[in-house]
Structure formats: C-alpha cells, structure tokens
Amino acid sequence: DTLWDLAIAEVEKRENADDDGKRVEVWEKSLLFMGNKNGGKTTIILRCLEREEIPKPTLALEYTFGRRARRHNTPKDIAHFWELGGGTSLLELIRIPITSNNVRSFAVVLVLDLSKPNELWTTIEKLLQVTRNHVNKILTKLEKTNPEVATEIKQRMRNNLQRDHPDYDLVDPFPIPLVIIGSKYDIFHEFDSEMRKIISKTLRFVSHYYGASLVVAHIRNLLRSGISQALSEILYADDIIKSLSVDHGKPLFIPAGLDSLSQIGPPPASDSDIGKMRANTPLELWKKVFEKTFPPKSFCDLQDTKDPAQDLQYAEYEVDVMRAQKNQELEQYKRNAAKSWKEMDFDPD
C-alpha cells in the first residue's frame, strides 16, 4: 500500500469506530417519494428533516439528504430522499435513483391524495407497475452478477409475511420495501362515511397485497400520525411498536404484515355485482369494484407539467439570456434551412 492508501484507511478507521475502538457500520438508506401532484410529498420530506421551509412544487426529480446519529459520538447514518414530481407523467425518471448499486437499501413511499378518489387507482397502478418492472429488471441482472444479493432482497420481502399466515400464497409483495401514505386527511374525513369505508378498505387491501405499510392520517403531525414511525423503521431499522389502527372512522396505521384478507373483508359490493365481474386476480376484482364507485378521471398529467426552464423559481439571468439567444439562432437556422430546401432543384431522374 502507498502512504496515501494507509492514510485513507486510518481516517476511515477513526471515523467509523465506537468508544471501544471497534468498527461501526454506517448505514445509507434511500427513499423515493412519488404520488399525486400536490399530494404532500415535499411536506413529508421537510417534516422528516425538521426543516421549516415553505414547500415548492416539484417539477421533475429532486434530491436531498439527512443525517442521524444512533448514539453520542458515533458516525451518522445517511438518508437519501428522492422526490418524483409530475404525478404519473414522468415515469421514465424512476430509473435514475434506483440502481443495482443501491437497490438493496432502497424503499418507495407512495403518497396518495385522498381528496381525489377518482385518481387513486390510476395513480397506484401506473406508479407501482413502472417501479416494479424497473426493480425486477435490476434483480434479473443481479441474479447473474450477484445472486446472493438478489436472493436476499426477494427473501426479505417475503419475510414480512410469516409462512403460516393464511394469505401467504394470495399476495404478491413489492420487490422492495413500500409505504403507502394517504394524505389530505382533513378533506377525506369530511367525506360520507360509506365513501371513507370503501377507500379505506381498498387501500388496506392494496397495501396488504403488496406487503406495504399503510398510514392514513394528518401530515402536519408526523409523530402522532404513524408516518414518522413507518419511515424510521425503513430508514434506520428502528424497532417500533407493532400497534394497529384499523378503524375506518379514524386515522389508519397498519405496519406491513399485520393485516389479513379476513380482517379487511370482501370488496365493498353486493354478491350479485361481484358475480358479474370478470377478474383473474384479487387485485383486478378490487379494481373493478373500486372504479365502479369512483370512475377513473380522464386526465393527462403530461399536459399540465410545466417546462422547468420557464419556472421563475429557477430563474438565472445569465443562463436565461444565453438561452434566449440560442432560441433566436435556432429559429433563424430553421428559416434559412426551409428557404434553402425550397430553392433546391431536384433532378427528376
């Protein structure tokens, strides 16, 4: 080893050692927040980081991080926070934060705006499907390059449900840890009781089916709502109290693996209606029942997505002036090119 290699090794040893001189492992975990536009993703991240800032709209993909020490005089664990903006319009960006290098320590947080029930199933389906496909591609590659890690990731998600659980063969766990958060609880709480029951039961089923933790509560108080507990368990492996709150008339808190299909009950529809519905999986059946009450809204997030270059919060005078100049040059080039093509004489042969 060179002198420089020895110096680096010594610094790492000092930084990652506890009071007894033993090496302490520093954990790095990553969370990808996604969901409805204006659903509260940024607010949750800022509350987790204890930052008193006014949330700004997320236009594409944003990143920040936080640190936390497990105890005094020990290295701080690092939490990476990614946030996908644009609702379901920027799905291709999901592949940027989740890679083969960090998938082992990655988790997804799906934030759903409960004030827009007609958008819920579409948002859930699109975001989770694309994310799952991307993660599965990564796991397929890892099976060839690092099969032990791939096996560990798959087995870890199955372990959320004990083998003797009656639903073990009926669910399809998400490939990486997943937390589903229902936001805008103050508006949701004013809904008709039957509407709240249908939405709550459906979210319970979806969460249980994907092996996810579910929190439906006020965002403004993370500590009392259960959101902080669910995220801390994923980020820092905190041993939280496995409490349950399943009353549909109150905020919900159901850690992964603690619910069951028998407790959730059947889809909220009559037996005759269910008998007429064609579905190949329980998930398809719940989708049909839910969308009968809340028909999916026809909308296109992509049309509503603003161009970040035109957003005032990213304004930079020198850059904007240069961009305007380049736009003018581009338009001039287009005009000259069009003129040149028109003046060309083509040989008919």
Side-chain angles (χ1 to χ4, degrees):
D1 291 337
T2 65
L3 183 60
W4 184 245
D5 293 328
L6 294 172
I8 293 175
E10 181 63 23
V11 170
E12 291 179 346
K13 179 180 177 181
R14 291 180 182 180
E15 289 181 347
N16 299 336
D18 59 14
D19 296 336
D20 299 327
K22 298 179 181 179
R23 184 176 179 82
V24 176
E25 187 174 4
V26 177
W27 288 89
E28 287 195 41
K29 298 291 180 69
S30 301
L31 288 179
L32 172 61
F33 284 76
M34 56 188 184
N36 298 93
K37 290 189 294 185
N38 303 315
K41 301 182 292 294
T42 305
T43 300
I44 295 175
I45 293 174
L46 292 175
R47 294 287 175 87
C48 288
L49 297 174
E50 298 180 351
R51 294 180 185 172
E52 297 295 331
E53 301 176 18
I54 299 176
K56 296 180 181 179
T58 304
L59 297 176
L61 184 68
E62 295 191 3
Y63 166 81
T64 188
F65 70 95
R67 297 175 183 270
R68 193 187 80 162
R70 277 178 256 182
R71 57 180 185 274
H72 186 61
N73 287 335
T74 59
K76 293 183 178 181
D77 295 331
I78 303 173
H80 304 278
F81 293 88
W82 294 87
E83 182 183 356
L84 179 69
T88 60
S89 66
L90 301 172
L91 298 177
E92 68 277 4
L93 296 180
I94 288 174
R95 60 185 174 83
I96 295 176
I98 310 177
T99 67
S100 57
N101 293 327
N102 63 16
V103 67
R104 190 178 184 183
S105 59
F106 216 100
V108 170
V109 181
L110 179 62
V111 182
L112 301 172
D113 186 344
L114 300 182
S115 69
K116 302 175 182 177
N118 298 85
E119 297 180 14
L120 283 182
W121 197 280
T122 301
T123 302
I124 294 171
E125 190 172 54
K126 286 187 176 181
L127 289 173
L128 293 189
Q129 185 177 42
V130 171
T131 306
R132 176 171 224 154
N133 290 342
H134 174 62
V135 173
N136 284 339
K137 288 180 181 178
I138 292 176
L139 293 180
T140 300
K141 292 180 181 179
L142 282 176
E143 286 175 349
K144 300 176 181 179
T145 59
N146 199 335
E148 288 135 4
V149 171
T151 302
E152 177 194 331
I153 293 173
K154 292 180 179 179
Q155 189 59 45
R156 180 182 61 191
M157 294 313 300
R158 270 292 175 184
N159 288 341
N160 280 337
L161 210 63
Q162 300 299 321
R163 283 192 171 273
D164 58 354
H165 195 288
D167 305 333
Y168 187 82
D169 295 322
L170 300 175
V171 298
D172 188 14
F174 206 66
I176 55 179
L178 173 65
V179 176
I180 297 178
I181 297 176
S183 65
K184 306 290 182 70
Y185 183 80
D186 51 342
I187 299 176
F188 170 73
H189 191 62
E190 299 299 321
F191 285 0
D192 175 78
S193 60
E194 191 60 28
M195 289 177 61
R196 293 202 310 269
K197 183 178 180 181
I198 294 173
I199 295 172
S200 297
K201 287 188 67 172
T202 302
L203 290 181
R204 283 183 63 183
F205 170 79
V206 170
S207 298
H208 182 59
Y209 185 81
Y210 284 120
S213 295
L214 173 65
V215 185
V216 176
H218 291 287
I219 290 178
R220 60 175 175 264
N221 194 329
L222 265 68
L223 292 176
R224 288 169 54 187
S225 69
I227 297 176
S228 179
Q229 296 181 59
L231 298 183
S232 292
E233 182 179 34
I234 286 179
L235 284 173
Y236 307 112
D238 287 347
D239 187 16
I240 67 172
I241 299 174
K242 297 291 186 179
S243 59
L244 274 175
S245 176
V246 296
D247 186 345
H248 300 144
K250 300 177 181 178
L252 300 178
F253 177 49
I254 310 174
L258 294 190
D259 213 341
S260 68
L261 296 178
S262 61
Q263 291 177 322
I264 296 170
S270 64
D271 292 340
S272 59
D273 286 341
I274 291 179
K276 297 175 184 177
M277 296 177 180
R278 295 183 179 180
N280 296 320
T281 66
L283 190 67
E284 287 185 17
L285 179 61
W286 276 83
K287 174 184 178 180
K288 291 180 180 296
V289 172
F290 184 81
E291 291 188 340
K292 183 177 181 181
T293 304
F294 302 105
K297 185 178 179 182
S298 178
F299 66 97
C300 181
D301 286 332
L302 189 58
Q303 293 178 351
D304 297 332
T305 303
K306 298 179 180 178
D307 180 0
Q310 305 300 324
D311 195 289
L312 294 178
Q313 67 174 312
Y314 301 116
E316 292 187 41
Y317 178 75
E318 292 83 0
V319 175
D320 294 339
V321 169
M322 181 58 68
R323 180 184 176 91
Q325 178 183 330
K326 292 301 179 182
N327 285 341
Q328 290 178 355
E329 293 175 359
L330 177 60
E331 290 302 318
Q332 184 62 44
Y333 171 78
K334 289 179 179 178
R335 288 193 293 269
N336 293 339
K339 184 178 180 181
S340 299
W341 276 96
K342 289 179 181 179
E343 294 175 349
M344 285 185 180
D345 290 327
F346 292 95
D347 189 340
D349 296 333

